[in-house]
C-alpha cells in the first residue's frame, strides 16, 4: 500500500465518527499523490500523519442563563490545528450542528487556506453548538461572556486569534472582545479579528470574503477570456459571504437571481434587491421569505436544495458544507453552468467537484476562493500591531492583490504537477508545500 493510503487508513480508524473531517482529508490526499511520489522526504518525515493530527483540541462547558432565568449548557470547542506558519487563526462557528468533527474539518481546511494567503498565520477553528437564532441580544451576550470565560486563557495576539464564521458576526465579536478585555485587564485587540471599526477593526473585513470570492472568480474567468458581465448568478445563503459576493458581482456587471437561507430560497428574475436583503438579514434578522413583502412578484420556495435547479452561468455556494452533491452538480451542468465559486467551506461533495472538473466547469476551490476573509483578518492583525488603520481603498487593493496571487500560485502548482487548469489540486499542492517545508525546518513537531 502507498504511504498516503496507509496514513489515510489510520486516520479513518482514529476519526471514524467524523465524516466531514475525513472528507476534507481525502480531498487533499487525492491531490497530493504526485507530490508524494516526487518527494520521498515528506514520507520519511511522516508529514501527512503529523499534519492531520491537531496540535491541540480544547473542549469546554459553556453555562449561561436565558431570559426566563433557566440555566442552559452548551459545548465549546477550539482546535489549534497547526502553528507552523504563525499564530493559530480561524473563525468561531455558533450553530446547533457543531461538534468536534465539524471544527476539525474547518480547522484542517484553514491550515491550507491560511498558507495560500502568503501571510504568517497558522490554522485553527472553534465554536459551539449554541444556536443564536431566536435568542435576544442579552442572551447572546451572556453566552459570549461565558464562552470567553474559558477561551481567554487559550488565545492571544501571538498565540491564537479567533474571528467570525456562521452565526458569529460583528455583534458576537463585540461581546467576546468586551469580556476578553475585562478578564485580561488590558486592551489587547489583536486577539480577535472582525472587530468593530471603533475598537480596532479593519475596513473591508466585513466585505472581504464575498469580495475576495468574486475577485478570484473574475480572475478565473479572465484567464479563459470571459468576464462577469451579464452572467446570471445563483447564490446559496444570505449571510455575510453571500451578501458581499452579491454586491461585488453586481458591481462587475452580473445579475444575481436567487439567494437562500436554511428555510428556503427566493428567486427574482429581474435581479435580487441587495439593499432589501441587507435590511432583512443584517438589521432585522428575519427569514429570507420576508423579501416577498416588498417584492410579491418574486418567488419563494421552501427547502434549500432546489435552488440548484435554477439555470445559471455561475453558482456560488455561500452557506454550509456539502450544499451541492452529485445530483445538484448534474442539474447545474445540464443547465449550462460555466463556473462554481466556493464561498462556503467545503460546499461541494468530493464527487460533485470531480463531476464539475470532468465536465470542464471552472471550479474556484474554497481554500483559495474564500481566503479573502482570513487574509483581511491578517491585515487587521497587522494594523492592530502597528496601532494604525489603512483606508478602505488601501485594504481593498491588498485584498485584490492577494486573491490574484492565490489564483496564480494555485495555477502554477497545478501545471507543475500535470493537473492542467485544476485549481482544486493546485491550491492543495501550493499550500501543502508551504506548510510542510515550514514543518520540516522546525524539526519533528
Ligand atoms: N465569514 C467569513 O469571513 C467566512 C466564512 N466562510 C464560510 O462561508 C459560509 C457562510 O458563512 P457566513 O456568511 O459568515 O455565515 P452567516 O452566518 O453570516 O450566514 C450563513 C448563511 O448560510 C445559511 N445556511 C443554510 N444552510 C445552512 C446550514 N445547514 N448551516 C448553516 N447555515 C446555513 C444561513 O441561513 P440561516 O440564517 O437560515 O441559518 C445563512 O444565510 C460558511 O461555510 C463559512 O464557513 C469562509 C470564509 C470566511
Ligand atoms: O477571519 C478569520 O480569521 C477566519 C475566517 C474563517 O473562519 C474562514 O476562513 O473560514
Amino acid at each position: 500500500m502507498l504511504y498516503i493510503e496507509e496514513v489515510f487508513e489510520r486516520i479513518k480508524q482514529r476519526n471514524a465518527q467524523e465524516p466531514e473531517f475525513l472528507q476534507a482529508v481525502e480531498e487533499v490526499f487525492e491531490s497530493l499523490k504526485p507530490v508524494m511520489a516526487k518527494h520521498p522526504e515528506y514520507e520519511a518525515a511522516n508529514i501527512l500523519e503529523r499534519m492531520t493530527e491537531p496540535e491541540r483540541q480544547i473542549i469546554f462547558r459553556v453555562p449561561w442563563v436565558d431570559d426566563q432565568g433557566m440555566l442552559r449548557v452548551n459545548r465549546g470547542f477550539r482546535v489549534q490545528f497547526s502553528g507552523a506558519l504563525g499564530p493559530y487563526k480561524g473563525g468561531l462557528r455558533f450553530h446547533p450542528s457543531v461538534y468536534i468533527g465539524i471544527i476539525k474539518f474547518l480547522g484542517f481546511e484553514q491550515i491550507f487556506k491560511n498558507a495560500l494567503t502568503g501571510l504568517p498565520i497558522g490554522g485553527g477553528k472553534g465554536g459551539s453548538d449554541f444556536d443564536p437564532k431566536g435568542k435576544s441580544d442579552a442572551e447572546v451576550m451572556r453566552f459570549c461572556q461565558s464562552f470567553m470565560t474559558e477561551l481567554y486563557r487559550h488565545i492571544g495576539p501571538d498565540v491564537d486569534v479567533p474571528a467570525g464564521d456562521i452565526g458569529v458576526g460583528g455583534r458576537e465579536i463585540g461581546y467576546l472582545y468586551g469580556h476578553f478585555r475585562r478578564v485580561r485587564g488590558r486592551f489587547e485587540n489583536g486577539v480577535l479579528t472582525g472587530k468593530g471599526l471603533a475598537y480596532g477593526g479593519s475596513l473591508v473585513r466585513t466585505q472581504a470574503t464575498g469580495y475576495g470570492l468574486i475577485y478570484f472568480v473574475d480572475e478565473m474567468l479572465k484567464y479563459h477570456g470571459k468576464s462577469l458581465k451579464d452572467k446570471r448568478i445563483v447564490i446559496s445563503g444570505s449571510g455575510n459571504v453571500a451578501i458581499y459576493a452579491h454586491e461585488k458581482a453586481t458591481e462587475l456587471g452580473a445579475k444575481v437571481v436567487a439567494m437562500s437561507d436554511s428555510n428556503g430560497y427566493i428567486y427574482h428574475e429581474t435581479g435580487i434587491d441587495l439593499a432589501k436583503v441587507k435590511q432583512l438579514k443584517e438589521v432585522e434578522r428575519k427569514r429570507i421569505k420576508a423579501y416577498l413583502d416588498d417584492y410579491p412578484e418574486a418567488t419563494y420556495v421552501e427547502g434549500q436544495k432546489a435552488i440548484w435547479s435554477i439555470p445559471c452561468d455561475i453558482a456560488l455556494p455561500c452557506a454550509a458544507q456539502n450544499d451541492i452533491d452529485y445530483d445538484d452538480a448534474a442539474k447545474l451542468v445540464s443547465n449550462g453552468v460555466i463556473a462554481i465559486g466556493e464561498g462556503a467551506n467545503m460546499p461541494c461533495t468530493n464527487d460533485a467537484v470531480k463531476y464539475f472538473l470532468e465536465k470542464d466547469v471552472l471550479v474556484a476551490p474554497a481554500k483559495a476562493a474564500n481566503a479573502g476573509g482570513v487574509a483581511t483578518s491578517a491585515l487587521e492583525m497587522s494594523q492592530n500591531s502597528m496601532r494604525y488603520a489603512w483606508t478602505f481603498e488601501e485594504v481593498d487593493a491588498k485584498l485584490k492583490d492577494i486573491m490574484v496571487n492565490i489564483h496564480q500560485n494555485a495555477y502554477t502548482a497545478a501545471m507543475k504537477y500535470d493537473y492542467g487548469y485544476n485549481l482544486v489540486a493546485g491550491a492543495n499542492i501550493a499550500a501543502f508545500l508551504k506548510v510542510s517545508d515550514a514543518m520540516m525546518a522546525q524539526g519533528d513537531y
Side-chain angles (χ1 to χ4, degrees), residues 93-97 105-106 110 113 125 131 133 163-169 205-206 208-210 236-243 260-264 281 286-288 304 317-321 323 342-347 366 369-374 377:
R93 176 175 291 192
F94 291 171
H95 192 272
S97 62
F105 116 65
L106 290 164
Q110 202 81 43
K113 181 193 310 194
K125 200 86 186 192
D131 186 357
K133 236 178 270 162
D165 188 81
I166 290 177
V168 177
R205 177 61 189 91
T206 303
T209 310
S236 67
S238 48
N240 173 265
V241 180
I243 285 176
S260 64
D261 62 20
S262 56
N263 293 104
K281 292 295 180 181
K286 284 191 176 160
R287 309 313 300 157
I288 197 86
Q304 291 160 274
C318 296
Q321 62 280 354
D323 188 358
E342 295 191 322
N345 286 306
M346 206 168 74
N370 73 32
V374 75
S377 278

Side-chain angles (χ1 to χ4, degrees), residues 82-133:
S82 168
L85 299 183
Y88 308 108
K89 182 86 194 88
L92 298 171
R93 176 175 291 192
F94 291 171
H95 192 272
S97 62
V98 164
Y99 76 107
I100 190 66
I102 294 277
I103 301 297
K104 276 173 66 183
F105 116 65
L106 290 164
F108 181 70
E109 296 271 299
Q110 202 81 43
I111 306 171
F112 295 81
K113 181 193 310 194
N114 294 5
L116 289 170
T117 67
L119 300 168
I121 40 177
K125 200 86 186 192
S128 174
D129 56 3
F130 172 74
D131 186 357
K133 236 178 270 162

Side-chain angles (χ1 to χ4, degrees), residues 20 54-55 71 89 102 108 127 132 135-136 209 211 227 231 259 266 349 357 374 380 383 387 396 403 432:
E20 298 85 1
E55 290 180 8
L71 203 141
K89 182 86 194 88
I102 294 277
F108 181 70
K135 304 288 189 301
S136 68
T209 310
Y211 279 20
S227 82
K231 297 291 182 297
M259 290 180 91
I266 48 166
T349 59
L357 294 173
V374 75
E380 182 172 328
Q383 293 168 86
R387 300 191 189 282
D396 193 34
M403 299 315 296
F432 170 80

Side-chain angles (χ1 to χ4, degrees), residues 114-236:
N114 294 5
L116 289 170
T117 67
L119 300 168
I121 40 177
K125 200 86 186 192
S128 174
D129 56 3
F130 172 74
D131 186 357
K133 236 178 270 162
K135 304 288 189 301
S136 68
D137 285 354
E139 287 176 320
V140 171
M141 182 178 74
R142 288 194 292 274
F143 175 81
C144 288
Q145 290 172 337
S146 180
F147 187 85
M148 187 52 89
T149 301
E150 174 60 34
L151 188 68
Y152 90 95
R153 67 190 86 240
H154 307 290
I155 60 177
D158 295 315
V159 180
D160 183 355
V161 183
D165 188 81
I166 290 177
V168 177
R171 173 182 63 169
E172 290 74 18
I173 293 293
Y175 295 149
L176 289 164
Y177 182 64
H179 201 65
F180 177 85
R181 194 168 65 75
R182 186 174 186 190
V183 293
R184 285 287 286 151
R186 56 202 288 184
F187 193 88
E188 200 173 34
N189 63 0
V191 70
L192 290 170
T193 61
K195 299 180 293 290
L197 297 178
Y199 61 98
S202 174
L203 287 162
V204 192
R205 177 61 189 91
T206 303
Q207 296 85 351
T209 310
Y211 279 20
L213 170 67
I214 299 303
Y215 291 146
F216 192 96
V217 169
D218 190 40
E219 204 53 28
M220 199 169 70
L221 293 174
K222 271 193 211 146
Y223 182 85
H224 290 86
K226 300 182 167 121
S227 82
L228 278 155
K229 182 122 189 55
D230 299 328
K231 297 291 182 297
R232 264 171 79 87
I233 299 191
V234 167
I235 302 182
S236 67

